[in-house]
Amino acid sequence: MKSVMSCILNRRSVRAYMPQDVSRDNIIQLLTAASWAPSGNNLQPWRFSVVMNNKDLIKMLSSLTIFHKWAQNSSCLIAVFLDTKVVDSKIENAYLKHTQSIGAAIQNILLAANELGLATCWIGEILKNEDQVRELLGVSDDLQLMAVISVGYSNNVSLKSKRRDVSENIISWL
Ligand SMILES: Cc1cc2nc3c(=O)[nH]c(=O)nc-3n(C[C@H](O)[C@H](O)[C@H](O)COP(=O)(O)O)c2cc1C
């Protein structure tokens, strides 16, 4: 088993996929990882719509982002929603906390995928077409689209990414 740190450091956003299908078991593992993310008040505000084994639907969903050329080659697309019904106005900063929880759930998916040898990309650009995504997937409008994640086997061997040095991110250490 890979260490968490190696998954964190080696995960890259992958934008080229092989035709090979991802198994249903693997997707269940990714969603299990997501479901074990921390969430404010343990309200678990995430909901998922999985599109796989349906090339036409993958293509239609991909067409809602400018990244359709590579997204449509992924084996699975996971649309991640926030269930706005759980947003309780009595809890301070509820919405902010729920969106943070969903970010944690998405990151868990990306890291679990890396451990399983799967490649992913977090697609936020598609959010501008939230209504069409909901309509295509038959999702009610009390679910707000947070992201679509492409999942598949990478067709890109060495991907590089850069980060600022960690020291530049530390504003104080008292
Ligand atoms: C909120 C969010 C939205 C993103 N949206 C997109 C997107 O629409 N298309 C895309 O190709 N990558 C998207 N990415 C991936 C980033 O471009 C990528 O994480 C960043 O460039 C660092 O590269 P790395 O993930 O390979 O380290 C998104 C990432 C995040 C966290």
Side-chain angles (χ1 to χ4, degrees), residues 13-69:
S13 296
V14 173
R15 302 179 179 90
Y17 296 97
M18 311 243 267
Q20 198 181 340
D21 283 337
V22 170
S23 73
R24 190 186 163 82
D25 269 9
N26 276 177
I27 299 301
I28 295 283
Q29 286 190 68
L30 302 188
L31 300 183
T32 303
S35 303
W36 278 94
S39 63
N41 302 83
N42 200 15
L43 283 170
Q44 304 163 60
W46 40 73
R47 302 290 180 267
F48 307 103
S49 174
V50 179
V51 182
M52 64 189 293
N53 303 321
N54 187 338
K55 296 281 176 219
D56 290 341
L57 196 51
I58 287 177
K59 204 167 175 178
M60 281 191 270
L61 183 52
S62 301
S63 75
L64 298 174
T65 163
I66 56 166
F67 301 113
H68 57 93
K69 280 206 181 103

Side-chain angles (χ1 to χ4, degrees), residues 11-13 15 67 70 121-126 161 163:
R11 179 211 56 81
R12 294 279 71 82
S13 296
R15 302 179 179 90
F67 301 113
W70 52 263
C121 190
W122 180 329
I123 305 172
E125 193 276 337
I126 200 167
S161 194
R163 295 294 187 271

Side-chain angles (χ1 to χ4, degrees), residues 2-171:
K2 289 190 202 169
S3 71
V4 174
M5 202 60 188
S6 93
C7 292
I8 290 171
L9 297 178
N10 295 318
R11 179 211 56 81
R12 294 279 71 82
S13 296
V14 173
R15 302 179 179 90
Y17 296 97
M18 311 243 267
Q20 198 181 340
D21 283 337
V22 170
S23 73
R24 190 186 163 82
D25 269 9
N26 276 177
I27 299 301
I28 295 283
Q29 286 190 68
L30 302 188
L31 300 183
T32 303
S35 303
W36 278 94
S39 63
N41 302 83
N42 200 15
L43 283 170
Q44 304 163 60
W46 40 73
R47 302 290 180 267
F48 307 103
S49 174
V50 179
V51 182
M52 64 189 293
N53 303 321
N54 187 338
K55 296 281 176 219
D56 290 341
L57 196 51
I58 287 177
K59 204 167 175 178
M60 281 191 270
L61 183 52
S62 301
S63 75
L64 298 174
T65 163
I66 56 166
F67 301 113
H68 57 93
K69 280 206 181 103
W70 52 263
Q72 68 182 0
N73 295 329
S74 62
S75 150
C76 174
L77 291 172
I78 303 174
V80 183
F81 294 92
L82 161 65
D83 185 351
T84 60
K85 294 193 296 304
V86 308
V87 181
D88 181 347
S89 55
K90 289 192 285 297
I91 298 175
E92 224 175 334
N93 294 313
Y95 182 75
L96 184 57
K97 287 195 272 185
H98 292 321
T99 54
Q100 290 174 354
S101 307
I102 287 181
I106 295 174
Q107 179 70 345
N108 273 8
I109 292 179
L110 307 191
L111 295 179
N114 183 274
E115 194 201 328
L116 294 171
L118 298 171
T120 54
C121 190
W122 180 329
I123 305 172
E125 193 276 337
I126 200 167
L127 294 179
K128 64 174 191 216
N129 288 324
E130 174 180 13
D131 290 346
Q132 288 109 301
V133 171
R134 245 198 254 109
E135 195 183 331
L136 184 67
L137 302 177
V139 168
S140 64
D141 53 10
D142 46 21
L143 298 184
Q144 184 185 0
L145 184 65
M146 293 281 115
V148 169
I149 305 166
S150 55
V151 187
Y153 287 95
S154 176
N155 197 13
N156 224 329
V157 269
S158 62
L159 283 167
K160 292 198 167 56
S161 194
K162 285 194 288 198
R163 295 294 187 271
R164 281 191 296 275
D165 189 87
V166 65
S167 61
E168 296 178 50
N169 296 329
I170 301 169
I171 52 151

